[in-house]
Amino acid sequence: MARLIGSTRTSSLWRALWARQPVLDGAIEASVGSYVMLCVLRALMGRRTAGILFRPLPLIEGGLLRLRIKRWLLATINRLPGVYTLTILPFALEPRFARFANGWILDPQYWDLHYPEDVDGNRPAGAFAQSIRETAGARGVVVAIGRQDSAKGFDMFARLYTARADLRETWHFAFGGRVVECDVGEHLKEFIAAGGQAHATYISHDELLDLYAAADAVWCCYAPDYDQASGVFGRAIQLGLPVIVRKGSLLEKTCLVEGLPHLAYDGNVESFDAATLPPRLDPALAASRARQWGADSIARLRGYLGLA
């Protein structure tokens, strides 16, 4: 991000405070207090400051005192000149974000494979992808990627596959990523016993890309308390892959607004109809859209920072 907006990086709050150039806090949630202090002091010096919120939904729905205080602090500093608090989802998806943010960009994980240059989008499938496809045979492949726990919907993923013998005849489920055993360990055992393919360890970057290369659809059906932008979802849509999302989630809203191939799942194993999974989008079209999203997001960000 620093390279794309033409800035230098620092982990020093002191250096950021006195910097003459605009400052971008890349993760407000790490310390809202530090961000607020930075914005107030720099506004008094007439300097621009922006920050990115990666999980804005709890600030809307959370009733805890600490969340109400954060909400009030962010809404207050946004009235200061030169302060821009940004979400990584458009206000059109959730207008209430505008209560405590005054701008947005699209999640960088929605365009990072292709913008500004195509690094990974055209990578050939490796051995891990080939092993998944060989195990699947003629069946379609649904993959879950990254850490596996109830927040990431692994319990729903495993329960669906183990409960539906008819689904297993036409679809193969596989995942790669560390499993939180104390949370979903029993589901993992049942999943493997039903023939699901498990690579239950930390995955490398190449293995991550292989999971996408092997997939006909990507699991992005997360728990209600994990309702946010998603890197797994973002990389899937950059490659044109259909995604399985939770019905009523922000990811479903994103799919509907942007016309992305998806299936919305309500958690009822009997209602899941794999036949309604749409085909993959043309990868070239998906890549072109990702590049445009990247260009637009960087232009917006540079505008907030006064660098346009």
Side-chain angles (χ1 to χ4, degrees):
M1 186 71 78
R3 177 171 60 87
L4 292 175
I5 64 176
S7 67
T8 57
R9 296 174 59 188
T10 180
S11 58
S12 168
L13 185 62
W14 184 254
R15 289 181 61 187
L17 173 62
W18 294 105
R20 293 185 178 275
Q21 67 268 38
V23 166
L24 173 67
D25 185 333
I28 293 174
E29 283 93 346
S31 178
V32 172
S34 296
Y35 173 68
V36 169
M37 181 194 70
L38 190 68
C39 289
V40 170
L41 294 178
R42 285 179 55 81
L44 291 173
M45 292 185 280
R47 295 171 183 170
R48 288 198 185 216
T49 312
I52 298 177
L53 277 168
F54 282 87
R55 293 196 67 185
L57 203 62
L59 292 176
I60 295 173
E61 300 177 342
L64 297 176
L65 178 60
R66 63 178 178 81
L67 292 175
R68 294 202 299 269
I69 291 172
K70 287 181 180 180
R71 212 162 40 221
W72 178 81
L73 285 172
L74 293 175
T76 299
I77 63 169
N78 285 340
R79 302 188 187 116
L80 298 174
V83 172
Y84 298 93
T85 300
L86 314 175
T87 64
I88 55 170
L89 288 172
F91 293 172
L93 293 179
E94 180 45 82
R96 291 177 296 173
F97 289 162
R99 294 179 184 177
F100 48 81
N102 52 2
W104 60 270
I105 63 170
L106 278 174
D107 186 346
Q109 296 177 118
Y110 287 14
W111 41 268
D112 61 349
L113 289 181
H114 298 289
Y115 180 85
E117 61 273 325
D118 188 350
V119 177
D120 292 321
N122 292 323
R123 173 186 173 276
F128 186 34
Q130 293 169 10
S131 74
I132 295 174
R133 295 304 313 192
E134 288 171 1
T135 303
R139 294 176 294 172
V141 174
V142 176
V143 300
I145 300 173
R147 187 190 76 250
Q148 300 301 318
D149 56 18
S150 56
K152 295 288 289 293
F154 182 77
D155 52 340
M156 290 188 287
F157 178 77
R159 191 182 302 119
L160 175 61
Y161 195 65
T162 57
R164 292 278 301 273
D166 61 321
L167 181 65
R168 297 195 298 271
E169 292 177 359
T170 54
W171 287 87
H172 176 59
F173 280 28
F175 78 86
R178 184 176 62 85
V179 176
V180 182
E181 292 275 355
C182 62
D183 185 17
V184 293
E186 288 302 314
H187 293 291
L188 174 61
K189 294 176 184 176
E190 294 168 359
F191 176 76
I192 294 173
Q197 189 169 353
H199 187 67
T201 185
Y202 179 82
I203 54 173
S204 68
H205 182 64
D206 284 346
E207 288 172 327
L208 180 146
L209 294 174
D210 268 359
L211 283 162
Y212 288 109
D216 294 298
V218 177
W219 184 266
C220 303
C221 187
Y222 304 146
D225 60 357
Y226 195 82
D227 196 6
Q228 61 187 62
S230 160
V232 172
F233 171 88
R235 275 60 181 269
I237 63 176
Q238 288 184 68
L239 298 169
L241 289 166
V243 288
I244 300 171
V245 297
R246 181 174 56 80
K247 193 171 183 62
S249 65
L250 286 172
L251 295 184
E252 185 195 15
K253 292 179 182 178
T254 301
C255 290
L256 293 171
V257 169
E258 300 294 344
L260 303 171
H262 72 286
L263 185 158
Y265 178 45
D266 63 4
N268 180 357
V269 296
E270 299 302 325
S271 69
F272 186 87
D273 184 4
T276 63
L277 263 170
R280 179 176 182 168
L281 189 68
D282 177 8
L285 179 60
S288 175
R289 177 173 54 202
R291 282 190 288 271
Q292 187 61 56
W293 282 351
D296 291 346
S297 292
I298 291 300
R300 292 177 70 88
L301 185 55
R302 288 180 62 84
Y304 294 129
L305 293 172
L307 300 174

